[in-house]
C-alpha cells in the first residue's frame, strides 16, 4: 500500500492510486509491487540486504543533514520535539553513527552503487515530473482515511 499512498499524495502516477470498485484494493500498486519482488527473487539474500542497507543509510544521512541544517539555519522554528542539547553536542552525537554508515557504504559492492544511483535517478526524475505530468490528475483521486495500519 506504500505505492498507493505515494500516488495519492502525487509522488507517483495516479494509476497506482486507483482502487478496485468492489474490493477497494489498489490493484495496479499491488501488481507493480509484485513485479518488483519477482525481479528481486533471483538475487542472493546478502545482495538484497546490502542493497536495503545502502538505501537506508542514504536516507538516514539525508535526515541527519536536514536535522543539522534546520537546527543551524532556523533554530527558533517550532518543532513538536526538540533535542535538549546544543548544536555542537548534536554533531558530536551523530559522528559515531555517520562513521558506521560510511563503513557500510565503503563495504558495498560496485553493483550496489550502480543500483542506488539508478534508483535515485528514477526517484529524482519522477519527483521533477510529478507537477507537470500527473499532479493535476490527482484532484479526481480522493485519499482514504488512514486507519494507522501500514500493511
Amino acid at each position: 500500500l506504500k505505492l498507493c499512498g505515494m500516488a495519492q499524495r502525487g509522488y507517483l502516477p495516479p494509476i497506482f492510486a486507483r482502487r478496485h470498485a468492489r474490493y477497494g484494493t489498489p490493484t495496479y500498486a499491488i501488481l507493480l509491487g509484485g513485479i518488483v519482488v519477482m525481479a528481486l527473487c533471483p538475487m542472493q539474500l546478502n545482495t538484497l540486504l546490502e542493497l536495503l542497507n545502502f538505501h537506508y543509510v542514504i536516507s538516514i544521512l539525508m535526515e541527519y543533514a536536514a536535522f543539522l541544517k534546520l537546527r543551524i539555519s532556523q533554530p527558533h522554528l517550532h518543532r513538536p520535539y526538540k533535542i535538549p542539547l546544543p548544536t555542537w553536542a548534536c554533531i558530536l552525537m551523530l559522528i559515531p553513527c555517520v562513521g558506521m554508515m560510511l563503513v557500510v557504504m565503503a563495504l558495498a559492492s560496485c553493483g550496489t552503487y550502480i543500483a542506488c544511483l539508478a534508483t535515485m535517478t528514477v526517484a529524482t526524475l519522477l519527483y521533477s515530473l510529478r507537477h507537470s505530468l500527473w499532479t493535476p490528475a490527482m484532484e479526481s483521486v480522493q485519499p482514504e482515511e488512514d486507519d494507522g495500519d501500514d500493511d
Side-chain angles (χ1 to χ4, degrees), residues 68-82:
L68 290 176
K69 180 185 181 302
L70 285 174
R71 182 81 183 234
I72 293 168
S73 67
Q74 298 179 20
H76 301 295
L77 183 69
H78 174 71
R79 295 169 174 86
Y81 177 78
K82 184 174 180 180

Side-chain angles (χ1 to χ4, degrees), residues 53-69 94-106 120:
N53 285 333
F54 194 89
H55 283 84
Y56 183 69
V57 162
I58 295 288
S59 70
I60 294 297
L61 287 175
M62 286 192 285
E63 286 181 31
Y64 288 169
F67 163 69
L68 290 176
K69 180 185 181 302
L94 295 177
I95 288 175
C97 302
V98 170
M100 291 305 296
M101 290 178 185
L102 294 176
V103 168
V104 168
M105 293 176 73
M120 290 178 78

Side-chain angles (χ1 to χ4, degrees), residues 1 10 14 30 60 74 78 87 102 109 117-118 126 140 143 147 149:
L1 291 178
I30 291 172
I60 294 297
Q74 298 179 20
H78 174 71
T87 302
L102 294 176
S109 67
L117 181 63
L126 287 173
S140 64
D147 61 358
D149 187 18

Side-chain angles (χ1 to χ4, degrees), residues 11-24:
Y11 292 108
L12 289 175
I15 190 170
F16 297 113
R18 289 188 193 153
R19 294 182 174 268
H20 188 273
R22 181 174 177 192
Y23 301 109

Side-chain angles (χ1 to χ4, degrees), residues 3 8 49 63-64 70 73 86 95 97 106 116 119 123 127 130 133:
L3 294 175
Q8 288 173 341
L49 291 174
E63 286 181 31
Y64 288 169
L70 285 174
S73 67
I95 288 175
C97 302
C116 186
T119 56
Y127 184 79
R130 75 186 183 114
L133 292 181

